[in-house]
Structures are given as C-alpha cells and as structure tokens.
Amino acid sequence: MKNIDKYSRGYFMPPVQCLKWTEKEYITEAPTWCSVDLRDGNQALVVPMSLEEKLEYFQLLLQVGFKEIEVGFPAASETEFAFLRTLIEENLIPDDVKIQVLTQSREHIIKKTFEALQGANKAVVHLYNSTSIAQREQVFRKSKEEIINIAVTGAKILKKYAAETEGNFQFQYSPESFTGTEVEFALEICNKVLDIWQPTAGNNVIINLPATVSMSMPHVYASQIEYMSDNLSYRDNVILSLHPHNDRGTGVADAELGMLAGAQRVEGTLFGNGERTGNVDIVTLALNMYSHGVDPKLNFEDIPTIISKYEKLTRMKVHERHPYGGELVFTAFSGSHQDAIAKGMKWREEEERQYWTVPYLLIDPMDIGREYEGDIIRINSQSGKGGIGYILKRKYGIDLPTEMRESFGYCVKNVSDHKHKELMPNEIYDIFINEYVNINTPIEFISYKYTQNGYYETIVSIRMNNEEHKFTGVGNGRLDAVSNALQTQLGIDYKDLVYKQHALEIGSGSNAVSYVGITAKNGAVYWGCGIDTDIMTSSVKALFSAVNNMVSSLQLSVEKEFIHSKNK
C-alpha cells in the first residue's frame, strides 16, 4: 500500500485511564435492545421498504421480542410519517413496547415529528447532532460553542413540544459521530443536554454514544464508554446506550466491550443490515450471550423463518458464513471435524451431560431451529468416514461397523470427487444401497435350509447365469455353514469373516440389517450388507454381498470353479 502517509488515527482517548471493564469476564445480563432495522436499516436498502413491508417487518420484530423499536424519521418523508400514524391509529403497538423516532435539532423537523407522534402510548424521541472534528470543521464549519448551542436548543424545543402533545415521551440524545469527537467535548455536550431535560428516577433519559464510523480497536471504544459512564451527570437516571457500526468489522466486539464498560442498552439490526458495512448484528450479540448461559431476552428459536422473512422484506441476503444464521455456520466438511462432532454427539447421548460441549459446535443448532441432518455434517470429497457414517446412522438408521466405515468413506469420497459436488444424504444412501446391499451378481442367493445335529448343515440355493444350483456346507453356525458351502463348492478363498447385525429402526418396519466383511488372499477386505425381515436371512444376504463384491473386484471366475468341482 503506497499511500500510508495519508492516514492517521482519528479517535481520542479519555484524559484518564479507563480500564475497569477489563476486570469483567463476560456479560452477565442482557441489555435493553432497540432495533433500528426500520430506520437505520431501511435507509441503507437499495429499495427501501414500502408501508406494507414495514408493517410486516414490525410484526417480525415483535415476534423476536424487541421492546424498543425505532420506526423511522417521520419528518423525512410521507411514507415514514404514514407508517408511524398507521402504527398508532390502528393500535398495532403492544402496551409493553416503545417506539422510537429520530429527529434533527431543527424546530420544523421536531414539530413535524411530534405531529406524527400524537397519541403515542410510549415513545422515545431521539435527538442528534454531529459533534466530531471532521463534521464541525468540514460540514457545519462551526465552533464547539455553536455545536453545543444546536444540541441545547434542540433539547429545549423537544421539551416544549412534548409538553404540548398527547402521549408519553422519553428523550434520547446522541452526539452523532461520537467516535471522532474529543471525549471531554462529548461529555460536555451530553451534560448540557441533560441539564435541560433534568432526568429523574421516573423519567430516565437515554444518552446514546454511536460508533457512527468505527475508528478504533474495540478496547479504545470501551475506554471511551467507561469514561462517559463514570462522568455523566444524573448517572443514576441515565440509560447509557450504544449504536456501533461495523466499518472495521468490529461492531460486535465494540458492543460487547462497551457493555462491559457500563452501557445498558444497544441499538442494532438483525444480521447487521445498515449503512456501509452495517450496524451491529443483534442476532450475533444475543446468541453470543446465549452461548455463555445468559438469557438474551430475545427469541431466535426459529432462525430459518426469521431469515426467510428478513430476506424477503429487505431484499438482502444472509451470507452462508454469517455467525449463527448462515447456512454453513454449523456445517463440517472436513473429515477430522466430522469425526469429532459425531463422537461428541454420541458421547453427549451416552453421558446425558447438562452443559453443551460438542466439539466445533458453539451452541446446539436445534436451539435455533436448525437440523442435525444437512446442517451439521455435509459430505464432499474432503469428508471422512466418521461424518459419512454419522449421516447414514442419523438419517437412515444404518450403523456401520467401524471397519466398514473406512471402505464406504472412500467410496463416497470418490463419487464426490468425480462429480465435483457435495453429496446429499439421499445420494449417500443410494451409493450405500447400490454398492453394498443385497448384491446378487454374479452369484444370486435364492434360499437356504439347515439342520442341526451338534453342528449345522445347510443346503444353499443359488443362481448363476440364469441357472439354479444347490450345494451343501457344514459349520458351527448357520452363517458359518453357508460360508463353508460357498468356499468349498465355488472355490472362493477368503478368511477372517467379520459380522455385525442390528434392527433397522428408521423407516423400515421390522427389517433387520447385517454387515459382513471378508479378507481375500491378497489382504484386501470386502464388505457387504443384507437387509431382510429375517435376521438370519439378512446375514446370509450380507455374506453373498461381500463375496460378490470380492469376486467382481478380483474378477474371479466362480462358474468355472463350480463346474470343475462338480466334474471332480
């Protein structure tokens, strides 16, 4: 970067050290949340919401649980004015919810604002003016004293019109562009406004300190907030509020450290929608608290529905990697991650622990309406045996033996690599069925009968090349007898038969599933699976599947061996 000399730090540190916030470990209680989606968020949209869309979005915010909602800048346009009047006149504002409106420190704008607020049950009137050096010097070209006069004059006018208007009003003041303002000057102007409004225990005032443009590392913002919190007049009757933007990508960190530093209230938006890089994301803030066992007092138990409504009404998209809300944020493609998650989920089921500690998953996805299938473990060429096995077991009840998972894992990864795509659970299941289950070529199993007299003797019926054959075998068990019949009559050589079976409980009625692994002379292991209503038949089908996979892979001529053995 060649123009580094044109940049310098534009923020101001407090005149004294303010680091008490560093002694706190985590946020212990939720702040008062104020959604500014309908004002700050709406004005940042390429196509602002219509009246009907704003009404629908307002309902969404109520469903989430917001008790303070900024509904607009009613003096700015007829749509904004009409929206506020509709909310009031049609009694759409619940008794426990405050609406908030924004106004500049200009009398005709304040007058229009209170006309829009006529009859409001609970409303916050938010007064602001810019205070930073850049704004003072370049935009307004006014001295500090003149900037203070703008704020004080506006505070007096607000007080006058509130007294003349039907409704219940709370005042809020923002030294806009706070982060580019000398902290002592921000304190001075806020205290001048507070002297006009005279807050009391029954009539609190909100002082809002916006990171209108994020200009520092989060710890600097926290120190600025702590200084203001420690030195504001009427502090017991002042609600200290934050309004972080995300220019440096630190909006969430700014808000969290700001709360440690004394802030009691946060203004933000769902998924961080807002001017430039956006406002602070309240979804992330709230669920960060939730992950620490702190009730955020907002309801995100159905995040997919919230995202759907948000995207429809704002025409914005929630990025796939957006914290908590993104489509892929709980998803593991990596084999080692999948294995750890699968084992963690199994451990949790077995141990029944109180606290959520599953590797790689900060919170339980189901707590916010996400599903384990398709959300946590998804399969591509980077995936491992653990994740692939987890999908089969969770979705279809197929509990592969540990040794078989590696074989099937390579099979699935090869398909994904060849197709250069992610594989859905149904595709993985289809691969398993096609490659391992009830394989009947080149040797088709038809039936078997057995007798027991200290040992098992079986008669097995098979079909090869459309010809049916019967042959016998003896063993210490039924499966062993069938296996011996295959080896002696067809000349198939294998060893180390591995066997596992279980009931197939998902979508299968009373089916049973069996798995068989065999080792060929060259040391390669071949697997098969059998599914049948009879557990013993399923095991025989699994053996035939494994043998057929070995025969096909090694290109053995079982028909020639069988004819040869008969001629002998």
Side-chain angles (χ1 to χ4, degrees):
M1 302 296 289
K2 60 185 178 182
N3 293 321
I4 190 68
D5 291 342
K6 70 161 46 169
Y7 298 100
S8 182
R9 292 169 296 282
Y11 59 84
F12 298 89
M13 291 295 291
V16 296
Q17 189 177 72
C18 297
L19 294 174
K20 293 191 298 293
W21 60 268
T22 63
E23 300 170 6
K24 300 177 183 177
E25 181 185 348
Y26 64 99
I27 298 163
T28 57
E29 61 181 345
T32 298
W33 302 108
C34 178
S35 160
V36 295
D37 292 79
L38 292 169
R39 197 275 303 168
D40 212 344
N42 185 58
Q43 74 182 28
L45 298 177
V46 177
V47 180
M49 286 181 271
S50 65
L51 175 60
E52 292 74 19
E53 288 170 330
K54 292 187 79 171
L55 288 168
E56 186 175 349
Y57 203 104
F58 183 76
Q59 291 301 317
L60 172 63
L61 296 172
L62 294 179
Q63 291 165 15
V64 170
F66 285 100
K67 300 303 180 185
E68 296 189 11
I69 300 172
E70 189 170 76
V71 296
F73 198 144
S77 72
E78 284 306 311
T79 299
E80 299 278 284
F81 190 94
F83 174 54
L84 178 51
R85 291 312 307 159
T86 300
L87 291 175
I88 294 171
E89 292 170 7
E90 296 189 11
N91 295 316
L92 298 176
I93 308 167
D95 290 341
D96 62 345
V97 172
K98 292 180 186 177
I99 55 171
Q100 178 171 302
V101 295
L102 189 68
T103 179
Q104 294 174 336
S105 184
R106 301 166 69 182
E107 183 164 7
H108 71 284
I109 292 177
I110 295 172
K111 181 175 182 293
K112 183 81 169 179
T113 299
F114 276 96
E115 289 173 5
L117 284 169
Q118 183 78 26
N121 183 40
K122 293 179 182 177
V124 176
V125 187
H126 182 183
L127 174 73
Y128 78 96
N129 67 302
S130 292
T131 59
S132 68
I133 287 181
Q135 293 274 6
R136 295 196 315 258
E137 293 180 347
Q138 301 172 41
V139 180
F140 298 103
R141 303 197 176 192
K142 292 183 181 295
S143 66
K144 288 182 177 179
E145 290 72 23
E146 289 172 309
I147 295 296
I148 290 174
N149 186 59
I150 292 173
V152 168
T153 300
K156 291 177 179 177
I157 297 172
L158 227 68
K159 196 171 181 180
K160 169 180 176 291
Y161 279 100
E164 298 171 355
T165 305
E166 177 191 357
N168 296 301
F169 307 110
Q170 182 178 20
F171 297 151
Q172 174 174 326
Y173 175 70
S174 287
E176 203 247 353
S177 62
F178 166 76
T179 45
T181 303
E182 306 91 323
V183 186
E184 301 97 317
F185 178 56
L187 177 67
E188 180 183 3
I189 196 168
C190 287
N191 281 337
K192 293 284 188 182
V193 170
L194 289 171
D195 284 338
I196 302 298
W197 287 340
Q198 295 285 311
T200 63
N203 188 26
N204 289 335
V205 164
I206 301 167
I207 292 294
N208 187 58
L209 303 175
T212 309
V213 177
S214 177
M215 303 179 74
S216 69
M217 294 175 68
H219 74 286
V220 172
Y221 185 59
S223 293
Q224 294 169 335
I225 298 304
E226 182 175 302
Y227 176 78
M228 296 292 288
S229 179
D230 287 347
N231 293 282
L232 282 169
S233 302
Y234 313 93
R235 183 64 183 92
D236 289 344
N237 300 318
V238 170
I239 298 169
L240 188 58
S241 177
L242 307 177
H243 183 111
H245 280 242
N246 199 41
D247 302 86
R248 291 171 52 91
T250 59
V252 168
D254 288 340
E256 290 182 327
L257 298 191
M259 282 187 272
L260 293 181
Q264 302 144 290
R265 181 178 184 270
V266 175
E267 296 185 346
T269 60
L270 298 180
F271 308 109
N273 178 41
E275 295 279 12
R276 306 181 308 278
T277 57
N279 289 53
V280 69
D281 174 19
I282 287 181
V283 177
T284 300
L285 281 173
L287 291 176
N288 279 355
M289 291 181 204
Y290 182 75
S291 75
H292 282 171
V294 177
D295 185 356
K297 308 297 185 184
L298 293 174
N299 185 352
F300 294 112
E301 291 178 359
D302 187 4
I303 205 83
T305 297
I306 293 171
I307 291 173
S308 176
K309 291 182 179 180
Y310 166 84
E311 291 186 338
K312 181 189 78 168
L313 296 170
T314 65
R315 302 167 186 85
M316 303 289 286
K317 293 294 180 183
V318 175
H319 192 275
E320 291 89 342
R321 301 293 182 187
H322 194 103
Y324 300 106
E327 180 185 353
L328 298 177
V329 296
F330 295 112
T331 301
F333 289 107
S334 159
S336 61
H337 288 205
Q338 291 177 344
D339 186 59
I341 291 171
K343 289 176 179 175
M345 297 290 283
K346 183 178 180 181
W347 182 86
R348 179 172 174 78
E349 291 174 2
E350 293 171 348
E351 297 291 329
E352 297 183 356
R353 297 300 179 102
Q354 176 182 358
Y355 296 111
W356 179 266
T357 58
V358 175
Y360 298 111
L361 298 180
L362 184 60
I363 66 171
D364 185 346
M366 292 191 74
D367 286 351
I368 59 173
R370 303 292 293 271
E371 298 295 333
Y372 291 145
E373 294 84 9
D375 273 338
I376 298 182
I377 292 177
R378 290 166 60 171
I379 305 303
N380 62 16
S381 60
Q382 304 301 309
S383 302
K385 60 184 180 182
I388 293 168
Y390 176 86
I391 291 289
L392 276 185
K393 182 179 180 183
R394 185 86 192 181
K395 186 78 173 175
Y396 302 103
I398 302 292
D399 187 10
L400 300 181
T402 302
E403 304 92 333
M404 189 178 183
R405 290 184 180 184
E406 184 170 359
S407 171
F408 182 55
Y410 282 120
C411 183
V412 170
K413 290 199 289 184
N414 286 339
V415 173
S416 177
D417 197 26
H418 177 72
K419 292 185 175 182
H420 202 62
K421 66 186 285 286
E422 177 188 357
L423 297 179
M424 296 296 103
N426 64 300
E427 295 176 290
I428 296 166
Y429 180 74
D430 288 343
I431 293 170
F432 178 73
I433 295 296
N434 293 333
E435 297 292 331
Y436 294 94
V437 178
N438 298 349
I439 306 300
N440 57 16
T441 57
I443 311 167
E444 181 181 355
F445 166 70
I446 299 174
S447 65
Y448 76 100
K449 293 187 295 184
Y450 72 91
T451 57
Q452 182 180 8
N453 186 17
Y455 55 87
Y456 287 86
E457 182 174 342
T458 185
I459 300 174
V460 183
S461 298
I462 67 165
R463 183 180 290 111
M464 292 188 301
N465 288 335
N466 296 319
E467 292 185 9
E468 192 169 322
H469 306 280
K470 294 179 189 266
F471 45 85
T472 61
V474 176
N476 56 19
R478 286 174 288 182
L479 186 62
D480 185 48
V482 174
S483 175
N484 289 336
L486 285 173
Q487 294 192 74
T488 58
Q489 298 296 316
L490 295 179
I492 301 172
D493 191 6
Y494 58 82
K495 59 181 180 178
D496 299 334
L497 189 148
V498 178
Y499 170 65
K500 176 185 175 181
Q501 59 83 22
H502 63 79
L504 191 57
E505 298 176 350
I506 298 179
S508 61
S510 58
N511 276 351
V513 58
S514 298
Y515 314 91
V516 166
I518 56 176
T519 303
K521 284 194 299 184
N522 64 2
V525 179
Y526 295 90
W527 287 93
C529 175
I531 299 178
D532 195 88
T533 54
D534 176 69
I535 186 63
M536 192 60 220
T537 302
S538 75
S539 66
V540 173
K541 288 182 176 181
L543 174 61
F544 270 81
S545 296
V547 168
N548 280 323
N549 280 337
M550 184 183 78
V551 168
S552 297
S553 176
L554 299 178
Q555 297 181 330
L556 299 177
S557 178
V558 292
E559 186 178 16
K560 288 182 180 179
E561 291 290 338
F562 179 56
I563 293 171
H564 178 68
S565 67
K566 285 179 67 178
N567 290 337
K568 292 192 341 186

